[in-house]
Structures are given as structure tokens and as C-alpha cells.
Amino acid sequence: MQFQDAGEFQVRAAPAVVWAFVQRPEQVARCLPEVQDIRAHPDHAEASVAVRAGLLRGTLHLRLNTQPDEAAQRVTVRVQGAGLGSTLTLNAAATLGDPGNGTTSLRWQGEVSVRGPLAAVGGRLMESRARALIERTFQNLQAQLNAAGSTLA
């Protein structure tokens, strides 16, 4: 199963705060829904997330890398994972914008590929679940950045 989506949101934090946040893989990993455990490494983060899809229940073990491009004000995130006999690959990118009012806009796009029982269990349901997970990840990111912006204001 493959799925793509895109969107845009604003956060109440300066671009410098947002840029510092998205460069740290462990910070981005904390935004994943159902995250249970995060281990930070110098160049990546590892996370365990709870999965519930149909009758399947268990844990996915993920490796998350961020690749910042400061000149383009763009960060690319790659997540690879395995668990429950399935594999997951997520590629996402966000471009930061500065509307000039102390906030930051993020235009994002993402693509998820799932193989194995997780893809087979859900069919069409899995697409809506994938969309919800992507949206929730970015909502969590937005909430954490808004909180970071308000503590610095």
C-alpha cells in the first residue's frame, strides 16, 4: 500500500525556533502518534510506536533521520520501520516560510509505503488510517512548536 498527502499549517514560533526543532530527529520522533520509547543518536533517532490495525496489535520499531537544507529552509524526514511481519517507509518534507509576524508556516508533503500484514489487513481502511496518522504527526509537531514559541515569547 502506498499513500501520499500534503498540507500546510502555521505555528506560533519564530522560524529560528522551528528550524532548530526540526533538525533534531528525537524531537521530530516525539511527534509520532502512539510513541512509546525514543532513543536519540548523533545522526538519527529510534522509536517504538504502538500499532492497532484490525486484529493486529503490537509495536513497530522505527529509525528516523532528518536531513536539513538550510539554504532552501527545507527539512526531509525519512522513517523506516518493521514489526508485526510488516515494513513501513515514510518520506516527508517540510518547507519553512516566514510570514514576518513571529509565526512560521510549514508546507509539507509525505508518502508512506506499507508492506506485509499491516497493508493487507486494512485495504481502504488503511489509507484513511495512514492519512490520520500523518495528520496527527503534524498536529503534534504544531502543538509542540506552539508551546516552544510561547515559552520564548
Side-chain angles (χ1 to χ4, degrees):
M1 180 199 80
Q2 290 207 273
F3 175 73
Q4 295 182 41
D5 203 359
E8 183 171 355
F9 63 91
Q10 293 220 350
V11 294
R12 293 180 309 270
V17 172
V18 176
W19 186 249
F21 185 95
V22 299
Q23 288 186 72
R24 298 184 56 207
E26 72 277 6
Q27 293 281 63
V28 176
R30 291 185 200 294
C31 298
L32 296 169
E34 307 298 331
V35 70
Q36 297 174 325
D37 181 43
I38 297 171
R39 292 166 304 288
H41 299 277
D43 63 342
H44 71 281
E46 295 176 2
S48 299
V49 296
V51 176
R52 290 180 294 283
L55 297 175
L56 290 176
R57 303 272 190 272
T59 303
L60 280 177
H61 302 282
L62 307 174
R63 180 184 171 113
L64 186 140
N65 295 82
T66 58
Q67 299 168 335
D69 178 352
E70 190 166 7
Q73 285 295 285
R74 181 176 176 88
V75 63
T76 302
V77 178
R78 180 168 174 84
V79 179
Q80 294 179 291
L84 301 168
S86 300
T87 61
L88 170 135
T89 302
L90 169 104
N91 292 301
T95 303
L96 283 65
D98 184 357
N101 58 2
T103 66
T104 304
S105 65
L106 284 99
R107 286 186 320 278
W108 62 270
Q109 60 188 39
E111 177 181 272
V112 178
S113 175
V114 181
R115 291 181 175 30
L118 279 175
V121 164
R124 288 187 196 176
L125 181 63
M126 206 52 191
E127 185 173 321
S128 65
R129 177 81 171 132
R131 179 183 303 267
L133 289 173
I134 291 170
E135 289 174 355
R136 219 164 117 209
T137 298
F138 281 102
Q139 288 168 356
N140 292 345
L141 178 71
Q142 184 178 26
Q144 287 195 28
L145 286 167
N146 282 341
S150 65
T151 60
L152 297 174

